[in-house]
Amino acid sequence: MAQPGWRDAPSPPDFSLLKRLARDQLIYLLEQLPGKKDLFIEGDLMSPLDRIANVTTLKQHEVDKLYKVEHKPIVSTSDQLCFLIRPRVATVKWVSDVVNSDKAAGRFRRYKIIFCPQKFYVCDAVLEEEGVYGDVTTDSWHFYLLPLDEDIISMELPEFFRENFLEGDQRWVETAGNALHLLHSLYGPFSKVFGMGRCAKMAYESWRELQEESEQKSRRADIGTVFLVDRDVDYVTPLCSQVVYEGLVDDIFRIKCGSVEFGPEVTSSDKSVKVMLNSEDKVFSEIRNEHFSNVFSFLSQKARNLQTAYDKRRGMDIQQMKTFVSEELKGLKQEHRLLSLHIGASESIMKKKTKQDFQELLKTEHSLLEGFEVREAIAYIEEHISRQVSMVESLRLLCLLSLTENGLLPKDYRALKSQYLQSYGVEHLLTFANLRQLGVLVEQQPGETLTVMESKVGKLVNDKTAGKLTDAFSSLAKKSNFRALSKKLALVPKSDEEYDLRVPKDMAYIFSGAYVPLSCRLVEQVLERNGWTGLEEVTRMINRHEFAVGAGGGGPEGGEKTDAQRVILVMFLGGCTYSEIAALRFLGRERGLKFIVVTTAITNSGRLLEALLDH
Amino acid sequence: MAFVTATWNPLGEAFYRKTEVYEMGWRLSSGLRDCLVAAAPYGGPIALLKEPQRRSPSARPQLEIYSSSGCSMASFVWKSGVVKHLGWTVSDDLLCIQEDGTVLIYDLFGNFKRHFSMGNEVVQNQVLEAKVFHSPYGTGIAIITGAFRFTLATNIDDLKLRRLPEVPGLQGPPTCWAVLTQDRQSKVLLASGLDLFILDNTACSAVTPPGLSPQVCSIVQMCVSFSYKYLALFTDSGHVWMGSANLKEKLSEVETKVKTPPKQMVWCRRPKSHQPSVVMMWERHLLVAGDLTFNLCYGYHLDEESVLVPELDGVRIISSTHHELLQEVPAACEEIFKIASMAPGALLLEAHKEYEKESQKADEYLREIKEQSLLGEAVRQCVEAAGHEHDIETQKILLRAASFGKCFLSNFPAEYFVIMCRDLRVLNAVRSYTVGIPLTHTQYKQMTCQVLIDRLVYRKLYPLAIEICRYLKTPEYQGVSRVLKHWACCKVQQKEESDEAIARAVSVKLAEAAGISYSEIASKAYECGRTELAIKLLEFEPRSGEQVPLLLKMKRSQLALSKAIESGDTDLVYTVVTYLKNEMNRGDFFMTLRNQPVALSLYRQRLEARLSLLQSAVDEYNKAKNEFAAKATDEEMRLLRFQRRLEEEKGEQLLGLSLQDTLRVLLSVGLNKPAEQLYKDFRVPDKRYWWLKITALADKEDWDELEKFAKSKKSPIGYLPFVEVCVKKHNKSEAKKYISRVTPEQKVKAHLAVGDLEGAAEAAIERRSEAEISMVLSRCLSTTDRGLVDRLNRARSTTAKK
């Protein structure tokens, strides 16, 4: 598909600046409380903090002891306490309890709360309610964005998804706006902004307000185009089993903040090893985007190359040996270590995936995506529950079924749901309610009644309103009409031809050639058309809320694009998966573009569903 | 009264006095020679270790502990390693620092408490010298090792060893060193020749004392004041430099004309005094060095070997026969007793003396004071001076004079006088020879009455402690009760007395005291291994909330349960019930509950509460017309009732499990009937039930039952699962039994599962399925029979052609 005349993709801007800014501000905030102090850190801030400032840096700025926030009474002898926390009610309440218990014991200390990334009004309200407002000083550490890799930036806000999409709590939208503003002021000005979804629109508005307030500096842009996507635009993609290497590693070992802990079964020793997974790992960077079936052959090729490199030693004279040892050996050793780790991980993945009959699972998923042999798929899901394979996996398949089939037939819905409840407890009634609210797992509306209603009402009004009515009914019938979308956007390639996973021809390779991720296809289409023109039907099926700013006219632009215009920032509100990132990387390579992914958090099917569990 | 000033010696603007505190009660054969001596500040105990270097097993050194008056408190043979240093903690525990860095802690009576080490480096290089110091953080230890590195622990109760940085260029041991506490940090100050260094956690910095006289070549002795504010340095030229401990300011420098370094040098300075002074001791010579402007010092001759103990407001001098206090005469005493003093206090004392003699001169003196309207001041001086006097007669004379003067004042507040009278009574009591705590009034105020009571408790002087609490009207909770609790905790450790006798004695003594926690005493008894005594003591504990946890800890759960029920506190009953549920096996648990109807009903009630909540959920779901949810919740209620019944009948823990898990538990323990019933009642789909049942049977390895079940009726899930569950349990021979019943479509898989390649090949070829033949081929290894592989390949090519 690569077109002649496309240059190589430009290199991404230097995001280490974001880290430096965050570190400098943190140091400034710590200096605001002079003297020795103990620092309490919220658990989920520990790994991100570790990327910004290590213990030595903290100690240099008079942090005496470090504690993890555990919501228990504290044991600190310091006269100054500093709390580095997320703006959550429970944590602020705990801090108030600490202050109040000191007061009761007649102990005097100084307290400072640093909220990351920003303070919410409710935090002050809680402090006031608990009677400690005057006893603590508060500050915000504007640490919005953590670069995980040269093309991935995470806001590390996993709660964004549940709070925004399920609970309708929109306070994080402003945070997303602030993050955009930060990126804009450092790497902008952005010339084009595309968006899809309610939250995306709000985040855009929030950013635009900020931008209007602040002064405009003219600088050469590093990033030209921004694309905002809500997670609820596409639930199918994150719910599919991941089969590219990085996605699989995340599904099985859970990558946390860009690093993964390989247990003894991978390291084949008795201890676990923590490995950073990014482009600096030369072995990983070559296999991360590969379909898993290619990984083994690649790794063994790599191992042979390595052996050859080692073998070079033989027949060297002293001088050559000296250069070899000083220049090459260290690199080889490092590569050797990484290679053996990744081989271990691959073996472990193989073992797990073959045990659960992974092939059959994938077959079921593919038939759901294609819409063939749905009854067999349902039977498979039923057996999945009967065999008690996994609580979350069963739920995932149910959701995938509902999303692809416009909801479940009432009979199936009831039967499967009661099987599930009997197996995993009646508390999951609440989980099902959550899933229904999101539209991820629903009961099919009796289709006939709606159509009948539509035609009846349609006769009473004129043509123009009738069109609107059809829209209304179609959106009533189903939030996202997957099958129609799939046809319109050619998400499911023709299954009769063999798909060569070694030489992928489109983004579908990330799902073994069975499905092009909807989210990424939308990005591709909009960029190709330089706007939403021609996609009206598609946008109607995904509930509108699309927007495009700064795109001149319709149709693709002529002429060469500048480097900045070829750097495209895609922001996922509610999380994105490593598979989606792999798909965008593929798209970038094909089109000579560089995609930068900003996400509220890295997600996968497990994290997504666990966020919706209620038990 | 002239004799009062007999012991005074002038030094600069002030006077110094040396008063005898005690004649020592000990009988030391060879004096203090060759002894390691440690005397705790604030009139604390004295520890002696005679000839610490002796190592031969036949003649081990003797460790002795005395009160300040020389009354023996403990004496035992030292059997551990060579002791380098002795010291006392703030809570009157003895620290014995051994050559290898091990620190052993003993209490006042020589009972071993615990030990800890000062780290590997110290073990390797041995202790060269050690110092014990006190700071706001507690008692600390500083050690210099044979490698001339310092290791420091600021608080031995919260041991954190710090190894201080190396001193650059230090080849031999430092000539002298001391521990400072500055900026909330403990540091070491050391001298090597003329160079002074301060060592803190991170760095070693060189310092120079301002204005040190130029002819000095080496600093040979140093000392830091009690408050860590001042520093004195003794140089090889015989000069004493005095200044602030931060080395920013010089106070004075005195030439002593003695070149040999003193054996001991300590600060002798009252709080708020303007005059710095340092006491130095050589073999038989004591020197007090004072102010710069006068460049004065004066000496005492000592009759025998002595030890200096620095105090907040003076120096104690302990020898084998005497115990003396050397201090600057307090201002009030000086004003009153100085010869020919015209201070108001002195006049008032004179007036009172005349009054006693019934002389009219009394009136003249009084008038003289009153005319200057200084009577109030006079009274105050007399009261204050009384506080500083050790002699009881002198105290009385001064207090009488104050009382006399007070009569002529209408609005003089009485508290000052009253409090001083009380303080003196307490002080005189603890100073008595038998108690032996020679506190001065200044020390007492600094130390507070609370701490004094603690000290008395450490010495097991319970009656005196109680007497003092009562006399000072300390609130019972902090005073009498606290002492009694310590007494009782000590009492329960007396092994020779019977449980009954101790329990009775404790209850009688503690009967009317408020705020006594019997549970604390009982847990002490339990720690000493006297469970029966602990239970007896708990009987006296009025608060069940305190009784129950300890009873549970002692594994007296039955008793705990009945106590909890007696208390009528339902939360407490729940605590016990939850605890029992986790601790006991099910049968015992229900038997226990059955004997305690209250607990049983409470246990049931909790379930009832849950059921009623679920019922209201059902009602709400019905209102919302959510039939499905209503039904599901209703089923949950049915399940809960069923689980409760089974729990009570069969004693299996089921409550709160999901239907699936309930079935699994029932099947795994062989309760097939109730399982069948649940399966029917809840209309569990056949497929799931079959899966569940065969997995449970395979997990139990109950192969006969599994076979019976397979034959009971036609399997709704086919027979491949039977093969799979057997293989999972590594029982291939059982698995093979079911292969014949597997449907033709799954036969290949079944053969492969049991590892029967040939069977799989047969089945695949028979079915003429290309995919299945390929699957079998992919499982063939290089070791597989060639013929079989060829046959498969042939079959594949023929099927492919069709």
Side-chain angles (χ1 to χ4, degrees), chain A residues 268-283:
Chain A
S268 51
S269 64
D270 51 352
K271 54 177 190 281
S272 299
V273 176
K274 258 194 159 172
V275 192
M276 295 283 284
L277 295 179
N278 54 33
S279 48
E280 273 160 39
D281 177 342
K282 288 286 167 274
V283 180

Side-chain angles (χ1 to χ4, degrees), chain A residues 25-44:
Chain A
Q25 203 212 349
L26 179 65
I27 289 169
Y28 172 77
L29 289 172
L30 288 174
E31 298 273 297
Q32 300 284 87
L33 189 67
K36 285 242 185 269
K37 59 216 156 230
D38 283 357
L39 184 63
F40 290 79
I41 305 167
E42 186 117 56
D44 52 358

Side-chain angles (χ1 to χ4, degrees), chain A residues 122-241:
Chain A
V122 64
C123 303
D124 276 346
V126 171
L127 290 173
E128 209 175 324
E129 209 170 85
E130 299 287 323
V132 296
Y133 185 76
D135 300 307
V136 299
T137 50
T138 57
D139 242 314
S140 292
W141 178 32
H142 300 302
F143 171 41
Y144 294 110
L145 296 163
L146 173 69
L148 292 180
D149 204 342
E150 55 167 31
D151 61 351
I152 311 175
I153 305 175
S154 170
M155 294 174 70
E156 292 294 315
L157 287 174
E159 66 249 61
F160 187 101
F161 173 66
R162 185 180 163 115
E163 287 180 10
N164 192 72
F165 292 104
L166 181 67
E167 291 168 8
D169 179 345
Q170 293 171 344
R171 57 198 172 134
W172 291 115
V173 170
E174 195 199 331
T175 315
N178 288 339
L180 262 181
H181 182 62
L182 178 63
L183 286 167
H184 180 258
S185 55
L186 293 176
Y187 306 105
F190 307 147
S191 48
K192 284 183 225 165
V193 183
F194 302 109
M196 184 81 201
R198 220 162 88 90
C199 182
K201 191 147 196 184
M202 287 166 66
Y204 167 73
E205 299 287 343
S206 160
W207 161 54
R208 215 195 47 196
E209 271 166 38
L210 280 173
Q211 197 196 339
E212 277 164 13
E213 280 164 28
S214 63
E215 55 180 314
Q216 306 286 320
K217 273 175 280 177
S218 66
R219 63 186 293 286
R220 207 173 58 80
D222 289 317
I223 299 173
T225 310
V226 174
F227 205 106
L228 303 171
V229 199
D230 276 15
R231 185 70 271 171
D232 67 352
V233 165
D234 175 15
Y235 283 129
V236 176
T237 308
L239 287 175
C240 289
S241 294

Side-chain angles (χ1 to χ4, degrees), chain B residues 725-742:
Chain B
V725 293
C726 294
V727 170
K728 207 172 169 189
K729 283 277 150 186
H730 311 292
N731 195 335
K732 285 188 179 164
S733 61
E734 278 298 326
K736 281 178 183 155
K737 287 183 186 169
Y738 302 99
I739 290 183
S740 59
R741 304 185 68 178
V742 173

